[in-house]
């Protein structure tokens, strides 16, 4: 057992953990924060996406003991107009990928804000990236939605980012 | 060339807060807030202080017997509570034979009595379960269970197994053979014909929530939190297998993270979680790994299909032949009815439809979104496109020219007939008239552009459904039924239906679902849940209104005194005379006024019966009505798909760049959720068209890509803005005019893509998925 201090949604937790425990399982099984979902446990579906110091990661591929002292934000700690936008645009059906989509989108918008290019960015030298639908889709492609709510998710992100369509 | 509308067009112009009926409006989902805040709990997310975690051990041989299991190393792992094998497992009652008298007898996914047998029937069958204090210990120990086997020869190569295929006889619920005239002779005599073979691979549902069960025994009472599309099937099946009365089993599935058919039957994880809880005396959670879902839950079975079409020079079909062979598991599974839509869709003078199956030693196959039609339409609609090319006729015209008056095979009437209309609407929205029919005639830089079409066709089923509706004196309404919210917006739709039936605002209606303590709801399958529930909700609301009127009619001060039901309408949270404006003095009164005067806190109506005999009689009546109805009508949801692809000339990479789908699905209850569900089927169809394939090693039958990294479902970047519209006209023969919408939109998608690829490249791909190696 290893002692680890996890700071989640602004609250510090001291946990005694098996060093094999993933950040995802620490959240779900040890802190009762089940809003973060387990879809594949191998980094392929994005359902477990959380924000660490504002950057998006897949919590299933992270060991909890490596995240002591970092600022972890899960869906339970998110209060953002994007959530209402998802409801308005019907950006989900079953809801199981939704927490990951929302956290991923928030991380993604910060990346765009910082001028990080993607595989579909046309002008890499430009300091600002235009958030086209193609950019949104490319950058959100690590988050699978088997219900196929992709159109609604793209609409929600575009609306919230304040980009005219 | 690409004319993609960047923003998805709204399908319906009526705003969510418009006056008038709730049905039809794009109402936000009632579970929107809990699903976007992480509050909604799924089967693996219910806390118990002494929960234990279970992990499966899978067989590494395909067929044979277990000769020994060494559990010493696994048992020694710290935190391990039990290693359960066939040598020490509690007994389960073997699953019985399915009977039409009780549909829940169809619940088991396989006939294998897990851990009660030393037999192995497929590669990946569970052979042991490890229960431990932690997830980590359970999964680590599962790898340390050493199993030895005597292997037997097995059938694992679908191509080779087809030689042993036997015909499907068919019955009331399953199509076998359909015949009209001498189709082979008509084909031989036809001036123009096509005759080709198509194949579709195994596919998996891949709901993002893996199957999970949390099982808690309290004496001989069992509570199960379950990821299921069929609460009642799970409840009854567990009762049979564990020898307790069904009344002792409670199944809870408030939210389910997607199903698509994969959570319809009862699979190993459910049974083994309950078994492990029994063996250890602890609440047990079995959350399947993604790999365990592939190895223990069936998927869509592979098919090989022949479609042959004969036509006159005018394009009139003279012969339609559709023959399919599909694999079934030796321990369960059913025929894939690929010819289902081919019986009804086109007016062919002669028809021959035949199905056969061949047994394989694989995990038994199961329902997956539009079983039969989803893959059958790939062959039929590809062949129609091939015929259009042969004839030099536009593929839209060829289809509408062959729209039948009555069902060509059996002469039954169609409840609706709008194939021509959906194609006309779609062609206009898509700009189809600008198409140059010549392959490789359109391009965008180095990308070849192609346009393709295909028809969608699906016959929704109806299911027995019971609900209770309670109208309180404060005007609020509570609807209860053990139906499933797997993402279709079921609770939202029923709130809208109840709101209109009682004349109350939608937000006055609360809907409780997903718990076997509620009146028995329908399973989420066959595109039947919404319409089946609507029938029950309308019946219950009707009884409440009659009871309310009965109270008011006798009351001296009531404006409804002496009125008959036919004179009234439910509106403004009460009953009012239909011949007077709702605001008029003495037009009627609110439920609140009626109930308060009568000294009643609420009125409640419940359909169906708690009594077992009466419930069984009710189910028998329902089945009789359903089957008689099926003899009378072909009741189908239909649609027309228009697809644009861009194919990289150098790499063969196919991108879907534009999609228009126009559907006739009867009345649409919720414009927002219906549009999403129709889009969702198209997205899954794009996956089947371009990437999805469960790869079996033909030597061992072992699934080689049991994960989302290797099985490719569509991602954001694969899906363009999808333009979905529908006719929105009630079907006069269906409950509340509603046809199901869960499956129709996947039907025809793969063919539309393959047809567009042919138009772009001149290459006809008859084997799914259309991967780039098939274009180079």
């Amino acid at each position: 057992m290893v002692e680890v201090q996890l700071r989640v949604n602004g609250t510090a937790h001291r946990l005694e953990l098996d060093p094999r425990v993933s950040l995802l399982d620490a959240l779900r099984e040890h802190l009762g924060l089940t809003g973060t979902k387990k879809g594949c446990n191998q980094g392929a579906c994005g359902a477990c996406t959380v924000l660490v110091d504002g950057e998006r990661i897949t919590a299933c591929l992270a060991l909890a003991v490596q995240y002591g002292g970092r600022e972890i934000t899960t869906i339970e700690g998110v209060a953002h107009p994007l959530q209402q936008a998802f409801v308005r645009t019907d950006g989900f059906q079953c809801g199981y990928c939704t927490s990951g989509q929302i956290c991923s989108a928030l991380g993604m918008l910060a990346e765009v804000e910082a001028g990080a290019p993607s595989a579909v960015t046309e002008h890499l030298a430009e300091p600002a990236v235009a958030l086209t639908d193609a950019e949104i889709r490319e950058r959100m492609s690590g988050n699978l939605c088997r219900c196929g709510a992709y159109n609604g998710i793209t609409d929600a992100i575009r609306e919230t980012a304040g980009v005219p369509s | 060339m690409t004319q993609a509308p960047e923003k998805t067009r709204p399908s319906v112009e009526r705003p969510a807060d418009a006056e008038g009926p709730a049905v039809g409006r794009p109402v936000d989902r009632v579970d929107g807030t809990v699903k976007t805040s992480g509050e909604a709990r799924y089967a693996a997310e219910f806390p118990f202080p002494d929960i234990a975690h279970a992990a499966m051990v899978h067989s590494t041989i395909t067929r044979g017997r277990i000769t020994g299991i060494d559990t010493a190393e696994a048992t020694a792992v710290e935190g391990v509570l039990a290693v359960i094998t066939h040598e020490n497992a509690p007994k389960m009652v073997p699953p019985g034979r399915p009977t039409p008298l009780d549909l829940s007898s169809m619940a088991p996914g396989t006939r294998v009595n897990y851990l009660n047998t030393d037999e192995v029937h497929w590669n990946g069958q569970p052979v042991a379960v490890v229960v431990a204090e932690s997830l980590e210990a359970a999964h680590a120990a599962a790898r340390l269970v050493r199993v030895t086997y005597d292997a037997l020869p097995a059938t694992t190569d679908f191509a080779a197994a087809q030689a042993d295929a036997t015909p499907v006889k068919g019955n009331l619920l399953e199509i076998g053979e359909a015949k009209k005239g001498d189709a082979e002779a008509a084909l031989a005599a036809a001036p123009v014909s096509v005759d080709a073979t198509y194949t579709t691979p195994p596919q998996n549902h891949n709901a993002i929530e893996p199957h999970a069960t949390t099982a808690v025994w309290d004496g001989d009472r069992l509570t199960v939190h379950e990821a299921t599309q069929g609460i009642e099937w799970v409840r009854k099946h567990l009762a049979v297998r564990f020898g307790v009365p069904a009344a002792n089993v409670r199944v809870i599935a408030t939210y389910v993270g997607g199903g698509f058919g994969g959570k319809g039957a009862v699979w190993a994880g459910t049974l083994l979680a309950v078994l492990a809880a029994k063996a250890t005396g602890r609440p047990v959670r079995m959350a399947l790994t993604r790999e365990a879902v592939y190895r223990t839950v069936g998927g869509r079975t592979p098919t090989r299909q022949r479609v042959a079409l004969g036509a006159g020079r005018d394009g009139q079909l003279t012969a339609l032949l559709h023959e399919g062979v599909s694999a079934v598991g030796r321990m369960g599974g059913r025929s894939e009815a690929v010819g289902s839509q081919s019986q009804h869709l086109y007016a062919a003078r002669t028809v021959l439809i035949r199905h056969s199956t061949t047994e394989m030693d694989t995990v038994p196959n199961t329902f997956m979104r539009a079983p039969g039609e989803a893959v059958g339409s790939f062959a039929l609609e590809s062949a129609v496109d091939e015929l259009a090319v042969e004839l030099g006729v536009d593929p839209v015209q060829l289809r509408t020219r062959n729209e039948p008056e009555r069902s060509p095979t059996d002469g039954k009437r169609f409840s609706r007939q709008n194939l021509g209309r959906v194609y006309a609407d779609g062609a206009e929205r898509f700009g189809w008239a600008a198409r140059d029919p010549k392959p490789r005639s359109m391009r965008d830089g180095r990308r070849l552009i192609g346009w393709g079409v295909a028809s969608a066709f699906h016959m929704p089923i109806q299911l027995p459904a019971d609900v209770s509706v309670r109208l309180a004196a404060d005007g609020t309404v509570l609807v209860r039924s053990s139906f499933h919210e797997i993402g279709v917006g079921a609770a939202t739709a029923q709130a809208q239906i109840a709101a209109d039936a009682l004349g109350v605002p939608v937000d006055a209606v609360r809907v409780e679902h997903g718990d076997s303590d509620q009146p028995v709801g329908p399973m989420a399958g066959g595109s039947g849940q919404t319409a089946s529930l609507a029938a029950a909700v309308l019946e219950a609301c009707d009884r409440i209104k009659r009871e309310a009127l009965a109270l008011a009619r006798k009351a001296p001060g009531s404006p409804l005194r002496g009125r008959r039901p036919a004179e009234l309408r439910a509106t403004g949270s009460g009953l009012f005379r239909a011949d007077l404006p709702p605001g008029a003095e003495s037009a009627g009164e609110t439920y609140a006024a009626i109930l308060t005067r009568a000294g009643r806190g609420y009125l409640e109506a419940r359909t169906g019966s708690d009594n077992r005999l009466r419930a069984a009689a009710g189910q028998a009546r329902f089945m009789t009505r359903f089957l008689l109805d099926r003899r009378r009508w072909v009741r189908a949801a239909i649609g027309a798909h228009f697809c644009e692809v861009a194919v990289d000339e150098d790499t063969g990479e196919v991108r879907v760049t534009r999609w228009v789908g126009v559907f006739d699905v009867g009345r649409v209850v919720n414009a927002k959720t219906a549009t999403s569900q129709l889009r969702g089927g198209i997205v899954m169809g794009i996956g089947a068209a371009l990437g999805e394939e469960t790869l079996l090693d033909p030597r061992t039958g072992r699934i080689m890509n049991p994960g989302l990294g290797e099985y490719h479902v569509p991602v954001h970047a694969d899906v363009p803005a999808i333009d979905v519209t529908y006719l929105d006209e009630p079907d006069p023969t269906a409950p509340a005019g509603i046809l199901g919408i869960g499956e129709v939109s996947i039907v025809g998608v793969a063919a539309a893509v393959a047809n567009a690829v042919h138009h772009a490249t001149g290459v006809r791909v008859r084997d799914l998925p259309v991967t780039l190696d098939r274009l180079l």
Side-chain angles (χ1 to χ4, degrees), chain B residues 182-275:
Chain B
D182 187 344
E184 289 285 7
L187 179 69
V192 184
S193 65
V194 295
D195 191 341
T197 298
Y198 305 84
T199 67
T200 64
Q203 294 160 353
N204 276 73
H205 312 82
N206 282 306
I208 300 296
E209 180 203 23
H211 295 56
T213 306
T214 306
V216 187
W217 283 98
D218 176 11
D220 65 349
R221 304 189 75 83
L222 172 66
T223 302
V224 174
H225 293 273
E226 175 72 353
T228 179
Q229 296 171 241
I231 285 172
E232 190 60 10
W233 280 18
V234 174
R235 187 174 76 99
K236 286 189 171 165
H237 189 63
L238 289 177
V240 169
R241 301 299 294 277
F242 291 92
V244 295
N248 285 17
V249 182
R250 183 176 177 198
V251 179
I252 300 166
T254 314
Y255 298 110
V256 179
F260 317 112
K263 291 168 182 166
V266 180
W267 297 97
T270 307
L271 293 160
L272 294 177
V274 176
L275 190 79

Side-chain angles (χ1 to χ4, degrees), chain B residues 723-760:
Chain B
D723 176 32
V724 160
T725 50
Y726 38 77
L727 300 180
D728 196 11
E729 295 166 357
D731 183 305
T733 70
I738 300 164
L739 294 171
I741 56 169
E743 292 166 286
V744 62
S745 69
I746 194 176
V747 179
V749 170
V753 173
N755 295 342
V757 166
H758 175 264
H759 183 229

Side-chain angles (χ1 to χ4, degrees), chain B residues 75 205 430 481 494 711 739:
Chain B
T75 309
H205 312 82
F430 191 83
S481 176
Q494 298 311 319
Y711 181 107
L739 294 171

Side-chain angles (χ1 to χ4, degrees), chain B residues 339-351:
Chain B
S340 173
Q341 72 284 299
S342 307
Q343 300 175 90
H344 308 299
L345 199 43
Y346 300 119
R349 279 191 210 121
T350 65
V351 179

